[in-house]
Structure formats: C-alpha cells, structure tokens
C-alpha cells in the first residue's frame, strides 16, 4: 500500500514527494534483516530503471516538460519505490519466472499509461508501440531483478 501511495504522490506532486520516498527507503533498509543485501538490490534496480527510462526518453518514448539529460527526479523516486517492493509485496513472484514475465509484460505498461495520463508527461511515440516496448523491456527487467535478488541472497558477505 505504501508503494501505491508513493507512486501516486510522485505522479501527482512530482519532485515534492522525493523526501518522503527517501525517508521510506532509509526506514526500509534500517528495518531489513539483511540491510546490505537489500541496499545492493535496491541500488541495482533503481539505477537500471533510471538508465532504461532515460534511454526510452532519449529515444522519444517519453516526453517531460523541462526535459533534462536524465529522467525527472520524481520518476527516479518511483524506481526507488518499486525497488523496495521486490522483497516485500512482490516476493510472491520469486518462485515463478512465468509470473515475473507476465507481471512485467502486462502491469508495467498499465502503470506507465496510468502515470502518463495523470502527470504532465506524455508518450512521444505511438501509444501501442510505446506500451509494447515497455512491456517487452519490463518482462526482461522483472526476470533480471528477481535473478539478481536470488544471487544476492546467496552471497556470503551479505549474510
């Protein structure tokens, strides 16, 4: 539920929500039973997400007012919020690569569509193409994120 609030806050109120997301991330990591493992996962997912969305922005799939070289802070904070869910509410996907793939293919494009419709951002490519590209990328990203998570759980130094 907290992720949904942060997502909605980022979409509706933009960068103003960044401090709340950062506080949530700090508390989440502090309360984690394996904070260094969680920090590694959250950092990886956040940076990969920022990179992928920045590439999509430069490829013309997303357009933002006052567009810079990387995605806006509020979208980066959405990636941070999402990263915090992998060992939380999304942990039920851990055992099924098929569900991870489906989740990425179906629900990620819907989330982007909802976010775009409620924010001052827009799609810069045809709607159907944008959703197909997002779905294809996210289906791969979900598999990658859960694989990295499983590998981090096996690393002794994080134990």
């Amino acid at each position: 539920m907290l992720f949904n609030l942060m997502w909605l806050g980022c979409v509706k109120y933009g960068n103003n929500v960044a401090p709340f997301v950062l506080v949530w991330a700090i508390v989440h990591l502090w309360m984690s039973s394996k904070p260094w493992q969680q920090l590694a996962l959250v950092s990886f997912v956040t940076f990969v997400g920022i990179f992928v969305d920045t590439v999509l922005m430069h490829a013309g799939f997303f357009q933002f007012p006052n567009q810079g070289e990387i995605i806006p802070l509020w979208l980066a904070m959405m990636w941070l919020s999402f990263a915090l869910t992998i060992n939380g509410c999304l942990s039920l996907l851990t055992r099924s690569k098929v569900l991870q793939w489906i989740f990425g293919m179906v629900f990620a494009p819907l989330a982007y569509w909802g976010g775009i419709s409620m924010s001052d951002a827009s799609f810069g490519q045809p709607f159907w193409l944008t959703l197909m590209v997002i779905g294809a990328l996210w289906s791969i990203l979900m598999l990658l994120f859960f694989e990295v998570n499983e590998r981090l759980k096996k690393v002794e130094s994080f134990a």
Side-chain angles (χ1 to χ4, degrees):
M1 187 161 135
L2 193 52
F3 167 71
N4 290 328
L5 287 173
M6 293 299 166
W7 183 91
L8 185 60
C10 287
V11 168
K12 294 300 281 179
Y13 302 107
N15 295 345
N16 296 325
V17 178
F20 298 103
V21 175
L22 291 174
V23 167
W24 175 35
I26 291 166
V27 169
H28 179 87
L29 294 170
W30 181 66
M31 293 178 60
S32 175
S33 62
K34 296 187 177 183
W36 293 110
Q37 174 188 323
Q38 188 69 5
L39 177 62
L41 175 67
V42 167
S43 298
F44 176 78
V45 170
T46 302
F47 288 118
V48 167
I50 290 169
F51 175 77
V52 168
D53 276 357
T54 298
V55 169
L56 288 171
M57 179 186 75
H58 284 287
F61 284 94
F62 307 136
Q63 296 174 335
F64 304 98
N66 306 316
Q67 190 164 303
E69 291 300 312
I70 63 170
I71 60 172
L73 177 62
W74 62 267
L75 187 51
M77 291 295 101
M78 288 174 76
W79 272 104
L80 175 58
S81 294
F82 169 75
L84 296 169
T85 67
I86 291 177
N87 281 319
C89 62
L90 292 181
S91 64
L92 61 106
L93 300 176
T94 300
R95 294 194 175 129
S96 174
K97 296 210 180 292
V98 171
L99 286 178
Q100 294 166 20
W101 186 86
I102 290 170
F103 187 91
M105 181 62 77
V106 174
F107 294 107
L110 293 175
Y112 277 81
W113 182 15
I116 289 289
S117 68
M118 292 189 292
S119 73
D120 55 1
S122 61
F123 290 141
Q125 300 291 337
F127 178 77
W128 65 270
L129 177 62
T130 302
L131 294 187
M132 286 182 60
V133 167
I134 291 169
L137 285 171
W138 265 84
S139 63
I140 295 165
L141 289 175
M142 287 297 286
L143 294 168
L144 173 66
F145 296 155
F146 277 91
E147 181 63 28
V148 167
N149 189 33
E150 288 305 305
R151 290 180 186 231
L152 284 171
K153 287 178 182 178
K154 295 176 184 174
V155 174
E156 298 264 339
S157 63
F158 289 121

